Amino acid sequence: MSEPLDIEHLKSWIGREDVVDDLLTIDLVRKFQATLGLPGDPPEPGAIAPGLIHFCLGQPAVPMSGLGTDGHPRRGGFLPPVPLPRRMWAGSSLRLTGNLYVGDLVRRRSVIADLTVKEGKSGTLCFVAVDHRFEVGDRCPVQERQTIVYRTLDAGTSAPAAAPAAPQGEAVSIIDPSAALLFRYSALTFNTHRIHYDRPYATEVEGYPGLVVHGPLQATLLFHHAVHQAGGAIPVAFDFRSVSSLSDGTMLHLHAGHLADGIMPLWTASPDGPVAMQAEARWV
């Protein structure tokens, strides 16, 4: 049983700010390209950095003593101390008004924007919205509203059995979400959440069928899939939300729908599985 939610106390975190500076290095870009299998020349100072690499920047560097049993930083620092045991990245809405460049000194400015509690079939859900700005001097090429959801451990971790299989996209790319890929992405994003690398914890404690494929990893793969289908054009907006979990042990299919009026629908799924992540890239 989780503690009761003191909603007014949790809402007192709204407006709390966190600011971190980080250098977008050649080494980070090199490892990011290698992990995601991105094409392109070896990175050089001043080159355009790959899209969504900002997920790797300014991540909390919490001492080992400050980690909780799930591997996340203990509750009650920048993020509110929601007393629900499972924490997941539910989705993000991104506005891309420019580029980040190799060598940029990037300031990540984050603010708790909202907190809401809902009761669903799976139990209590607490949603925390965080606004991020990634600034370089007087430029702000990336803005993001991230939604984090907290829920109980006994909530379902996968889509209902009756969920239909995902539709087939016009363009499909297949990725092996191996343990090595998940480990590398966790390292790039300094993410110590144990569901991505500790199989006994993921299956026996949180009840997943295997290691969980990161939401932002799926989103980043979909983003670059969309860019490839659009002939290299970078979208000005990209939104995504998690629908169900994906685990290692089966192939990950990246689907792109028809590009119409500057909008392309995208989604991920395992073979014959339901939609795991829905996304939309926009060039208008």
Side-chain angles (χ1 to χ4, degrees):
M1 295 288 293
S2 300
E3 309 171 28
L5 296 184
D6 184 341
I7 298 174
E8 292 308 311
H9 176 60
L10 296 175
K11 283 190 172 183
S12 71
W13 259 254
I14 294 175
R16 186 166 295 203
E17 186 178 47
D18 183 57
V19 179
V20 180
D21 291 334
D22 203 349
L23 188 64
L24 207 172
T25 65
I26 289 176
D27 188 57
L28 173 62
V29 176
R30 180 173 59 86
K31 292 173 179 175
F32 188 85
Q33 289 177 330
T35 298
L36 274 68
L38 298 179
D41 298 326
E44 296 182 353
I48 296 175
L52 274 55
I53 198 171
H54 72 277
F55 289 148
C56 304
L57 297 173
Q59 294 296 336
V62 176
M64 295 299 295
S65 59
L67 298 179
T69 56
D70 62 356
H72 275 308
R74 288 201 180 97
R75 316 286 171 92
F78 169 63
L79 289 171
V82 179
L84 295 173
R86 179 177 286 129
R87 169 182 156 185
M88 302 167 62
W89 189 322
S92 283
S93 179
L94 296 164
R95 299 298 174 265
L96 310 170
T97 58
N99 296 309
L100 293 172
Y101 296 90
V102 179
D104 277 348
L105 179 61
V106 181
R107 171 160 290 181
R108 179 185 59 75
R109 192 183 302 275
S110 303
V111 178
I112 306 295
D114 197 13
L115 184 146
T116 56
V117 176
K118 298 180 181 179
E119 294 293 334
K121 293 180 180 179
S122 58
T124 302
L125 303 172
C126 181
F127 296 90
V128 178
V130 185
D131 286 343
H132 302 289
R133 291 172 55 87
F134 292 82
E135 303 169 349
V136 182
D138 59 359
R139 296 190 303 117
C140 184
V142 180
Q143 297 181 58
E144 175 189 3
R145 169 158 287 196
Q146 176 191 8
T147 302
I148 300 166
V149 60
Y150 298 82
R151 60 195 307 173
T152 57
L153 276 178
D154 58 350
T157 59
S158 58
Q168 189 78 358
E170 288 194 358
V172 181
S173 182
I174 300 175
I175 301 290
D176 179 7
S178 65
L181 172 60
L182 303 188
F183 172 81
R184 276 190 164 192
Y185 192 76
S186 287
L188 284 171
T189 55
F190 208 61
N191 182 349
T192 48
H193 194 185
R194 291 168 65 184
I195 61 173
H196 303 303
Y197 60 87
D198 184 338
R199 192 177 304 277
Y201 175 85
T203 59
E204 297 169 17
V205 177
E206 295 213 17
Y208 292 101
L211 298 176
V212 178
V213 183
H214 314 65
L217 171 58
Q218 294 181 58
T220 301
L221 291 168
L222 282 176
F223 179 89
H224 288 279
H225 186 48
V227 170
H228 179 71
Q229 300 310 315
I234 304 298
V236 297
F238 184 74
D239 299 340
F240 65 90
R241 69 181 185 93
S242 293
V243 179
S244 63
S245 65
L246 273 177
S247 300
D248 69 332
T250 185
M251 302 305 282
L252 166 60
H253 288 208
L254 309 172
H255 296 268
H258 180 63
L259 174 61
D261 299 323
I263 301 173
M264 180 186 294
L266 302 130
W267 60 98
T268 63
S270 58
D272 302 318
V275 171
M277 173 170 285
Q278 290 180 334
E280 183 180 86
R282 298 196 298 280
W283 286 263
V284 293

